[in-house]
Amino acid sequence: MPHERRVRVLIDEDKIARRNYEIALDIAKREPKQLLIVAILKGSFMFAADLMRALHHAGLMPQVEFMHLSSYRDATVSSGQVVILKDVESDVRDRDVILIDDILESGRTIAFAKDLLTARGARVLTCCLLEKPGKRAVSIKADFIGFTCPDLFVVGYGMDVAHSYRQLPYIGVVEMDEAG
Ligand code: IMP
Ligand code: MG
């Protein structure tokens, strides 16, 4: 497994699972009505799947939808423009929506999705697995945050670099060997 050997674990599976359950309990405390999870693809698919199970254990009956958004990027730097590659299929009006994303960085992706669903009449709360402090280009605060992330490019648990490493069950950093 050449890929796995080069990834340094930052947050392991157990820690992620415990945090997911805590977040689910926090969400349950809000007593959401007609709860709809909207997961932003692709990076949040694994987090969303585990959070759905944690929400079940917390006594909720969430439904789930997916929205595929992409922000144009130059290498690993976001340019700021967000495009919809796939929209949600359900009517979100008057529903409590929890918008899920992998990383809150510039904030543009989640702000774009939040504005869109709010304009359609949903009550939107946001939930990000990771938050990178000091990187915000737009003013948005997530309502639920898994972990604060150091200023490193992380992979795993749904997150990629050039489409790889999404399968890792933990969050880590790719270590470069001498060949790069
Ligand atoms: P932003 O908040 O609009 O800048 O977008 C954050 C998005 O950039 C996330 O959803 C990720 O897809 C991507 N991203 C930012 N930092 C990382 C990282 O460290 N690893 C993997 N993807 C990242
Ligand atoms: Mg993403």
Side-chain angles (χ1 to χ4, degrees), residues 86-101:
K86 182 213 176 295
D87 206 340
V88 297
E89 287 160 13
S90 319
D91 185 0
V92 296
R93 180 162 303 281
D94 295 327
R95 298 190 70 169
D96 279 322
V97 168
I98 307 238
L99 196 52
I100 309 280
D101 204 1

mmCIF file with all atom_site columns, all heavy atoms in Angstrom, residues 86-101:
data_model
loop_
_atom_site.group_PDB
_atom_site.id
_atom_site.type_symbol
_atom_site.label_atom_id
_atom_site.label_alt_id
_atom_site.label_comp_id
_atom_site.label_asym_id
_atom_site.label_entity_id
_atom_site.label_seq_id
_atom_site.pdbx_PDB_ins_code
_atom_site.Cartn_x
_atom_site.Cartn_y
_atom_site.Cartn_z
_atom_site.occupancy
_atom_site.B_iso_or_equiv
_atom_site.pdbx_formal_charge
_atom_site.auth_seq_id
_atom_site.auth_comp_id
_atom_site.auth_asym_id
_atom_site.auth_atom_id
_atom_site.pdbx_PDB_model_num
ATOM 1   N N   . LYS A 1 86  ? -24.325 19.481 -9.267 1.00 0.00 ? 86  LYS A N   1
ATOM 2   C CA  . LYS A 1 86  ? -25.558 18.726 -9.016 1.00 0.00 ? 86  LYS A CA  1
ATOM 3   C C   . LYS A 1 86  ? -26.300 19.422 -7.889 1.00 0.00 ? 86  LYS A C   1
ATOM 4   O O   . LYS A 1 86  ? -25.701 19.752 -6.857 1.00 0.00 ? 86  LYS A O   1
ATOM 5   C CB  . LYS A 1 86  ? -25.215 17.287 -8.596 1.00 0.00 ? 86  LYS A CB  1
ATOM 6   C CG  . LYS A 1 86  ? -26.427 16.410 -8.361 1.00 0.00 ? 86  LYS A CG  1
ATOM 7   C CD  . LYS A 1 86  ? -26.183 15.377 -7.261 1.00 0.00 ? 86  LYS A CD  1
ATOM 8   C CE  . LYS A 1 86  ? -27.426 14.555 -6.956 1.00 0.00 ? 86  LYS A CE  1
ATOM 9   N NZ  . LYS A 1 86  ? -28.541 15.327 -6.396 1.00 0.00 ? 86  LYS A NZ  1
ATOM 10  N N   . ASP A 1 87  ? -27.578 19.619 -8.082 1.00 0.00 ? 87  ASP A N   1
ATOM 11  C CA  . ASP A 1 87  ? -28.390 20.316 -7.081 1.00 0.00 ? 87  ASP A CA  1
ATOM 12  C C   . ASP A 1 87  ? -29.187 19.299 -6.253 1.00 0.00 ? 87  ASP A C   1
ATOM 13  O O   . ASP A 1 87  ? -29.310 18.138 -6.655 1.00 0.00 ? 87  ASP A O   1
ATOM 14  C CB  . ASP A 1 87  ? -29.356 21.263 -7.814 1.00 0.00 ? 87  ASP A CB  1
ATOM 15  C CG  . ASP A 1 87  ? -29.773 22.451 -6.953 1.00 0.00 ? 87  ASP A CG  1
ATOM 16  O OD1 . ASP A 1 87  ? -29.650 22.370 -5.713 1.00 0.00 ? 87  ASP A OD1 1
ATOM 17  O OD2 . ASP A 1 87  ? -30.241 23.447 -7.531 1.00 0.00 ? 87  ASP A OD2 1
ATOM 18  N N   . VAL A 1 88  ? -29.734 19.734 -5.112 1.00 0.00 ? 88  VAL A N   1
ATOM 19  C CA  . VAL A 1 88  ? -30.605 18.858 -4.319 1.00 0.00 ? 88  VAL A CA  1
ATOM 20  C C   . VAL A 1 88  ? -31.892 18.592 -5.100 1.00 0.00 ? 88  VAL A C   1
ATOM 21  O O   . VAL A 1 88  ? -32.291 19.393 -5.944 1.00 0.00 ? 88  VAL A O   1
ATOM 22  C CB  . VAL A 1 88  ? -30.963 19.469 -2.936 1.00 0.00 ? 88  VAL A CB  1
ATOM 23  C CG1 . VAL A 1 88  ? -29.733 19.647 -2.081 1.00 0.00 ? 88  VAL A CG1 1
ATOM 24  C CG2 . VAL A 1 88  ? -31.705 20.787 -3.083 1.00 0.00 ? 88  VAL A CG2 1
ATOM 25  N N   . GLU A 1 89  ? -32.535 17.470 -4.788 1.00 0.00 ? 89  GLU A N   1
ATOM 26  C CA  . GLU A 1 89  ? -33.755 17.104 -5.512 1.00 0.00 ? 89  GLU A CA  1
ATOM 27  C C   . GLU A 1 89  ? -35.016 17.458 -4.744 1.00 0.00 ? 89  GLU A C   1
ATOM 28  O O   . GLU A 1 89  ? -36.082 17.629 -5.333 1.00 0.00 ? 89  GLU A O   1
ATOM 29  C CB  . GLU A 1 89  ? -33.723 15.604 -5.828 1.00 0.00 ? 89  GLU A CB  1
ATOM 30  C CG  . GLU A 1 89  ? -32.711 15.309 -6.930 1.00 0.00 ? 89  GLU A CG  1
ATOM 31  C CD  . GLU A 1 89  ? -32.259 13.860 -6.990 1.00 0.00 ? 89  GLU A CD  1
ATOM 32  O OE1 . GLU A 1 89  ? -32.903 13.000 -6.349 1.00 0.00 ? 89  GLU A OE1 1
ATOM 33  O OE2 . GLU A 1 89  ? -31.242 13.607 -7.663 1.00 0.00 ? 89  GLU A OE2 1
ATOM 34  N N   . SER A 1 90  ? -34.940 17.532 -3.407 1.00 0.00 ? 90  SER A N   1
ATOM 35  C CA  . SER A 1 90  ? -36.153 17.792 -2.614 1.00 0.00 ? 90  SER A CA  1
ATOM 36  C C   . SER A 1 90  ? -36.429 19.274 -2.465 1.00 0.00 ? 90  SER A C   1
ATOM 37  O O   . SER A 1 90  ? -35.531 20.101 -2.582 1.00 0.00 ? 90  SER A O   1
ATOM 38  C CB  . SER A 1 90  ? -36.019 17.271 -1.188 1.00 0.00 ? 90  SER A CB  1
ATOM 39  O OG  . SER A 1 90  ? -35.406 16.069 -1.122 1.00 0.00 ? 90  SER A OG  1
ATOM 40  N N   . ASP A 1 91  ? -37.694 19.543 -2.141 1.00 0.00 ? 91  ASP A N   1
ATOM 41  C CA  . ASP A 1 91  ? -38.109 20.888 -1.775 1.00 0.00 ? 91  ASP A CA  1
ATOM 42  C C   . ASP A 1 91  ? -37.637 21.118 -0.328 1.00 0.00 ? 91  ASP A C   1
ATOM 43  O O   . ASP A 1 91  ? -37.945 20.323 0.550  1.00 0.00 ? 91  ASP A O   1
ATOM 44  C CB  . ASP A 1 91  ? -39.640 20.962 -1.861 1.00 0.00 ? 91  ASP A CB  1
ATOM 45  C CG  . ASP A 1 91  ? -40.150 22.363 -1.610 1.00 0.00 ? 91  ASP A CG  1
ATOM 46  O OD1 . ASP A 1 91  ? -39.329 23.278 -1.375 1.00 0.00 ? 91  ASP A OD1 1
ATOM 47  O OD2 . ASP A 1 91  ? -41.382 22.543 -1.643 1.00 0.00 ? 91  ASP A OD2 1
ATOM 48  N N   . VAL A 1 92  ? -36.887 22.163 -0.109 1.00 0.00 ? 92  VAL A N   1
ATOM 49  C CA  . VAL A 1 92  ? -36.316 22.385 1.227  1.00 0.00 ? 92  VAL A CA  1
ATOM 50  C C   . VAL A 1 92  ? -37.102 23.415 2.046  1.00 0.00 ? 92  VAL A C   1
ATOM 51  O O   . VAL A 1 92  ? -36.768 23.664 3.207  1.00 0.00 ? 92  VAL A O   1
ATOM 52  C CB  . VAL A 1 92  ? -34.832 22.839 1.145  1.00 0.00 ? 92  VAL A CB  1
ATOM 53  C CG1 . VAL A 1 92  ? -33.972 21.747 0.527  1.00 0.00 ? 92  VAL A CG1 1
ATOM 54  C CG2 . VAL A 1 92  ? -34.673 24.144 0.376  1.00 0.00 ? 92  VAL A CG2 1
ATOM 55  N N   . ARG A 1 93  ? -38.154 23.961 1.450  1.00 0.00 ? 93  ARG A N   1
ATOM 56  C CA  . ARG A 1 93  ? -38.928 25.008 2.119  1.00 0.00 ? 93  ARG A CA  1
ATOM 57  C C   . ARG A 1 93  ? -39.408 24.566 3.500  1.00 0.00 ? 93  ARG A C   1
ATOM 58  O O   . ARG A 1 93  ? -39.889 23.444 3.664  1.00 0.00 ? 93  ARG A O   1
ATOM 59  C CB  . ARG A 1 93  ? -40.136 25.381 1.240  1.00 0.00 ? 93  ARG A CB  1
ATOM 60  C CG  . ARG A 1 93  ? -41.039 26.464 1.813  1.00 0.00 ? 93  ARG A CG  1
ATOM 61  C CD  . ARG A 1 93  ? -41.920 27.078 0.748  1.00 0.00 ? 93  ARG A CD  1
ATOM 62  N NE  . ARG A 1 93  ? -41.111 27.628 -0.347 1.00 0.00 ? 93  ARG A NE  1
ATOM 63  C CZ  . ARG A 1 93  ? -40.472 28.811 -0.307 1.00 0.00 ? 93  ARG A CZ  1
ATOM 64  N NH1 . ARG A 1 93  ? -40.582 29.576 0.754  1.00 0.00 ? 93  ARG A NH1 1
ATOM 65  N NH2 . ARG A 1 93  ? -39.757 29.209 -1.320 1.00 0.00 ? 93  ARG A NH2 1
ATOM 66  N N   . ASP A 1 94  ? -39.236 25.429 4.486  1.00 0.00 ? 94  ASP A N   1
ATOM 67  C CA  . ASP A 1 94  ? -39.696 25.209 5.869  1.00 0.00 ? 94  ASP A CA  1
ATOM 68  C C   . ASP A 1 94  ? -39.042 24.014 6.559  1.00 0.00 ? 94  ASP A C   1
ATOM 69  O O   . ASP A 1 94  ? -39.556 23.534 7.561  1.00 0.00 ? 94  ASP A O   1
ATOM 70  C CB  . ASP A 1 94  ? -41.223 25.063 5.925  1.00 0.00 ? 94  ASP A CB  1
ATOM 71  C CG  . ASP A 1 94  ? -41.906 26.356 5.524  1.00 0.00 ? 94  ASP A CG  1
ATOM 72  O OD1 . ASP A 1 94  ? -41.341 27.425 5.819  1.00 0.00 ? 94  ASP A OD1 1
ATOM 73  O OD2 . ASP A 1 94  ? -42.976 26.291 4.898  1.00 0.00 ? 94  ASP A OD2 1
ATOM 74  N N   . ARG A 1 95  ? -37.953 23.525 6.014  1.00 0.00 ? 95  ARG A N   1
ATOM 75  C CA  . ARG A 1 95  ? -37.278 22.400 6.670  1.00 0.00 ? 95  ARG A CA  1
ATOM 76  C C   . ARG A 1 95  ? -36.046 22.884 7.420  1.00 0.00 ? 95  ARG A C   1
ATOM 77  O O   . ARG A 1 95  ? -35.438 23.884 7.068  1.00 0.00 ? 95  ARG A O   1
ATOM 78  C CB  . ARG A 1 95  ? -36.842 21.354 5.640  1.00 0.00 ? 95  ARG A CB  1
ATOM 79  C CG  . ARG A 1 95  ? -38.012 20.747 4.901  1.00 0.00 ? 95  ARG A CG  1
ATOM 80  C CD  . ARG A 1 95  ? -37.574 19.565 4.083  1.00 0.00 ? 95  ARG A CD  1
ATOM 81  N NE  . ARG A 1 95  ? -37.190 18.420 4.931  1.00 0.00 ? 95  ARG A NE  1
ATOM 82  C CZ  . ARG A 1 95  ? -36.976 17.210 4.453  1.00 0.00 ? 95  ARG A CZ  1
ATOM 83  N NH1 . ARG A 1 95  ? -37.076 16.981 3.162  1.00 0.00 ? 95  ARG A NH1 1
ATOM 84  N NH2 . ARG A 1 95  ? -36.643 16.223 5.253  1.00 0.00 ? 95  ARG A NH2 1
ATOM 85  N N   . ASP A 1 96  ? -35.682 22.138 8.472  1.00 0.00 ? 96  ASP A N   1
ATOM 86  C CA  . ASP A 1 96  ? -34.399 22.365 9.136  1.00 0.00 ? 96  ASP A CA  1
ATOM 87  C C   . ASP A 1 96  ? -33.349 21.602 8.348  1.00 0.00 ? 96  ASP A C   1
ATOM 88  O O   . ASP A 1 96  ? -33.400 20.371 8.264  1.00 0.00 ? 96  ASP A O   1
ATOM 89  C CB  . ASP A 1 96  ? -34.439 21.860 10.588 1.00 0.00 ? 96  ASP A CB  1
ATOM 90  C CG  . ASP A 1 96  ? -35.115 22.862 11.503 1.00 0.00 ? 96  ASP A CG  1
ATOM 91  O OD1 . ASP A 1 96  ? -34.908 24.076 11.307 1.00 0.00 ? 96  ASP A OD1 1
ATOM 92  O OD2 . ASP A 1 96  ? -35.865 22.438 12.397 1.00 0.00 ? 96  ASP A OD2 1
ATOM 93  N N   . VAL A 1 97  ? -32.443 22.360 7.755  1.00 0.00 ? 97  VAL A N   1
ATOM 94  C CA  . VAL A 1 97  ? -31.389 21.752 6.933  1.00 0.00 ? 97  VAL A CA  1
ATOM 95  C C   . VAL A 1 97  ? -30.055 21.896 7.642  1.00 0.00 ? 97  VAL A C   1
ATOM 96  O O   . VAL A 1 97  ? -29.719 22.965 8.155  1.00 0.00 ? 97  VAL A O   1
ATOM 97  C CB  . VAL A 1 97  ? -31.317 22.440 5.544  1.00 0.00 ? 97  VAL A CB  1
ATOM 98  C CG1 . VAL A 1 97  ? -30.051 22.035 4.794  1.00 0.00 ? 97  VAL A CG1 1
ATOM 99  C CG2 . VAL A 1 97  ? -32.542 22.088 4.708  1.00 0.00 ? 97  VAL A CG2 1
ATOM 100 N N   . ILE A 1 98  ? -29.303 20.808 7.698  1.00 0.00 ? 98  ILE A N   1
ATOM 101 C CA  . ILE A 1 98  ? -27.921 20.897 8.166  1.00 0.00 ? 98  ILE A CA  1
ATOM 102 C C   . ILE A 1 98  ? -27.037 20.652 6.952  1.00 0.00 ? 98  ILE A C   1
ATOM 103 O O   . ILE A 1 98  ? -27.063 19.577 6.347  1.00 0.00 ? 98  ILE A O   1
ATOM 104 C CB  . ILE A 1 98  ? -27.606 19.886 9.280  1.00 0.00 ? 98  ILE A CB  1
ATOM 105 C CG1 . ILE A 1 98  ? -28.633 20.043 10.391 1.00 0.00 ? 98  ILE A CG1 1
ATOM 106 C CG2 . ILE A 1 98  ? -26.157 20.064 9.753  1.00 0.00 ? 98  ILE A CG2 1
ATOM 107 C CD1 . ILE A 1 98  ? -28.175 20.350 11.744 1.00 0.00 ? 98  ILE A CD1 1
ATOM 108 N N   . LEU A 1 99  ? -26.315 21.685 6.629  1.00 0.00 ? 99  LEU A N   1
ATOM 109 C CA  . LEU A 1 99  ? -25.434 21.646 5.468  1.00 0.00 ? 99  LEU A CA  1
ATOM 110 C C   . LEU A 1 99  ? -24.074 21.129 5.942  1.00 0.00 ? 99  LEU A C   1
ATOM 111 O O   . LEU A 1 99  ? -23.494 21.661 6.890  1.00 0.00 ? 99  LEU A O   1
ATOM 112 C CB  . LEU A 1 99  ? -25.328 23.085 4.976  1.00 0.00 ? 99  LEU A CB  1
ATOM 113 C CG  . LEU A 1 99  ? -24.805 23.412 3.612  1.00 0.00 ? 99  LEU A CG  1
ATOM 114 C CD1 . LEU A 1 99  ? -25.511 22.628 2.521  1.00 0.00 ? 99  LEU A CD1 1
ATOM 115 C CD2 . LEU A 1 99  ? -25.009 24.914 3.391  1.00 0.00 ? 99  LEU A CD2 1
ATOM 116 N N   . ILE A 1 100 ? -23.606 20.072 5.277  1.00 0.00 ? 100 ILE A N   1
ATOM 117 C CA  . ILE A 1 100 ? -22.366 19.414 5.714  1.00 0.00 ? 100 ILE A CA  1
ATOM 118 C C   . ILE A 1 100 ? -21.249 19.642 4.701  1.00 0.00 ? 100 ILE A C   1
ATOM 119 O O   . ILE A 1 100 ? -21.443 19.405 3.511  1.00 0.00 ? 100 ILE A O   1
ATOM 120 C CB  . ILE A 1 100 ? -22.578 17.873 5.771  1.00 0.00 ? 100 ILE A CB  1
ATOM 121 C CG1 . ILE A 1 100 ? -23.809 17.498 6.571  1.00 0.00 ? 100 ILE A CG1 1
ATOM 122 C CG2 . ILE A 1 100 ? -21.338 17.145 6.264  1.00 0.00 ? 100 ILE A CG2 1
ATOM 123 C CD1 . ILE A 1 100 ? -23.609 17.505 8.033  1.00 0.00 ? 100 ILE A CD1 1
ATOM 124 N N   . ASP A 1 101 ? -20.106 20.067 5.187  1.00 0.00 ? 101 ASP A N   1
ATOM 125 C CA  . ASP A 1 101 ? -18.943 20.116 4.291  1.00 0.00 ? 101 ASP A CA  1
ATOM 126 C C   . ASP A 1 101 ? -17.717 19.568 5.015  1.00 0.00 ? 101 ASP A C   1
ATOM 127 O O   . ASP A 1 101 ? -17.718 19.401 6.230  1.00 0.00 ? 101 ASP A O   1
ATOM 128 C CB  . ASP A 1 101 ? -18.689 21.541 3.784  1.00 0.00 ? 101 ASP A CB  1
ATOM 129 C CG  . ASP A 1 101 ? -17.914 21.545 2.452  1.00 0.00 ? 101 ASP A CG  1
ATOM 130 O OD1 . ASP A 1 101 ? -17.601 20.463 1.917  1.00 0.00 ? 101 ASP A OD1 1
ATOM 131 O OD2 . ASP A 1 101 ? -17.624 22.644 1.944  1.00 0.00 ? 101 ASP A OD2 1
#
